């Protein structure tokens, strides 16, 4: 699966507007995700709810729904690096028996053979990377990461770009519990 960012963030003062565009952009991203599969070109994501800094969506598929929650970082460092928007997703695909699949779109190509990480409440979770995406390396830790997210206030995602730039994205976890519950309820 491949998510391509269509809209670049504005620099400077307009950069803060990206959070308010989150529902539209994440809906567009998820639609594009399925365009390559030929399954959902006409099936637009439906906003279930927006809770705090997280939005929950459902997408009808021919053999059931896929649901996800998504957010964008509140802060990104270093500030002087040009990159596409970043998103953190937690996806539910009942028909495939997938719940709480964690993924990141970071906004730049990761360095080859370098791991990224997500850290919540002092616990770090390794992420494997490919192109500008990352997923949890150890699937047995996926539910632990989501549980930590529900209990935490912030999450930090660290990565290294192909140019060798170390980045740190800080996400608010405000609303994750309610948004995730709504997504799970919608995808029973």
């Amino acid at each position: 699966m491949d998510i391509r960012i269509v809209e670049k963030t504005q620099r400077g003062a307009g950069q803060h507007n990206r959070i308010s565009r989150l529902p539209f952009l994440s809906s567009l991203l998820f639609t594009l995700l399925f365009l390559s599969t030929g399954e959902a070109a006409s099936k637009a994501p439906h906003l279930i709810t927006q809770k705090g800094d997280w939005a929950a969506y459902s997408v009808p598929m021919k053999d059931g729904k896929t649901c996800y929650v998504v957010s964008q970082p509140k802060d990104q460092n270093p500030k002087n690096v040009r990159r596409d928007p970043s998103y953190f997703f937690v996806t539910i695909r009942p028909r495939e028996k997938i719940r709480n699949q964690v993924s990141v779109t970071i906004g730049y190509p990761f360095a080859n053979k370098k791991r990224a990480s997500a850290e919540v409440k002092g616990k770090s979770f390794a992420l494997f990377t490919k192109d500008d995406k990352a997923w949890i390396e150890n699937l047995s830790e996926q539910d632990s990461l989501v549980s930590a997210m529900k209990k935490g206030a912030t999450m930090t995602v660290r990565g290294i770009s192909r140019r060798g730039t170390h980045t740190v994205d800080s996400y608010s976890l405000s609303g994750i519990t309610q948004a995730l519950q709504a997504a799970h309820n919608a995808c029973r």
Side-chain angles (χ1 to χ4, degrees):
M1 289 190 251
D2 191 23
I3 300 172
R4 290 284 175 225
I5 305 298
V6 175
E7 179 181 24
K8 303 247 185 207
T9 58
Q10 297 173 344
R11 303 290 173 223
Q15 190 170 17
H16 297 288
N17 291 335
R18 20 183 214 153
I19 298 301
S20 64
R21 293 190 313 246
L22 177 63
F24 169 75
L25 287 177
S26 61
S27 175
L28 178 62
L29 282 171
F30 207 77
T31 300
L32 291 174
L33 171 72
F34 288 101
L35 283 177
S36 63
T37 67
E39 187 173 352
S42 64
K43 299 174 185 174
H46 166 72
L47 177 65
I48 300 166
T49 189
Q50 174 86 40
K51 296 291 185 183
D53 294 308
W54 291 80
Y57 289 88
S58 66
V59 181
M61 308 302 277
K62 60 183 165 185
D63 58 350
K65 286 184 193 173
T66 293
C67 298
Y68 63 98
V69 297
V70 61
S71 188
Q72 287 190 281
K74 289 294 204 177
D75 191 37
Q76 295 180 300
N77 286 296
K79 302 256 185 244
N80 63 343
V81 175
R82 294 188 70 198
R83 58 196 271 201
D84 289 337
S86 300
Y87 299 92
F88 196 97
F89 292 89
V90 181
T91 304
I92 303 131
R93 292 188 194 106
R95 70 189 181 284
E96 298 171 40
K97 295 184 172 48
I98 294 172
R99 54 177 300 241
N100 297 334
Q101 181 183 47
V102 172
S103 63
V104 179
T105 299
I106 201 76
Y108 60 79
F110 282 108
N112 291 330
K113 299 182 182 182
K114 293 286 185 183
R115 298 293 185 239
S117 67
E119 184 177 313
V120 182
K121 295 186 78 161
K123 180 159 171 116
S124 185
F125 299 86
L127 306 172
F128 75 91
T129 63
K130 180 170 175 34
D131 301 325
D132 65 340
K133 316 280 184 299
W135 300 265
I136 196 151
E137 187 170 51
N138 184 346
L139 287 177
S140 68
E141 292 184 337
Q142 199 152 248
D143 285 336
S144 295
L145 171 53
V146 172
S147 179
M149 290 169 66
K150 289 177 179 180
K151 295 173 187 170
T154 61
M155 174 176 59
T156 303
V157 176
R158 299 176 192 278
I160 303 171
S161 75
R162 283 193 187 145
R163 294 182 178 179
T165 304
H166 291 251
T167 63
V168 180
D169 292 355
S170 298
Y171 289 82
S172 164
L173 297 174
S174 172
I176 181 70
T177 301
Q178 297 87 348
L180 202 52
Q181 185 61 51
H184 278 282
N185 288 343
C187 261
R188 288 181 190 227

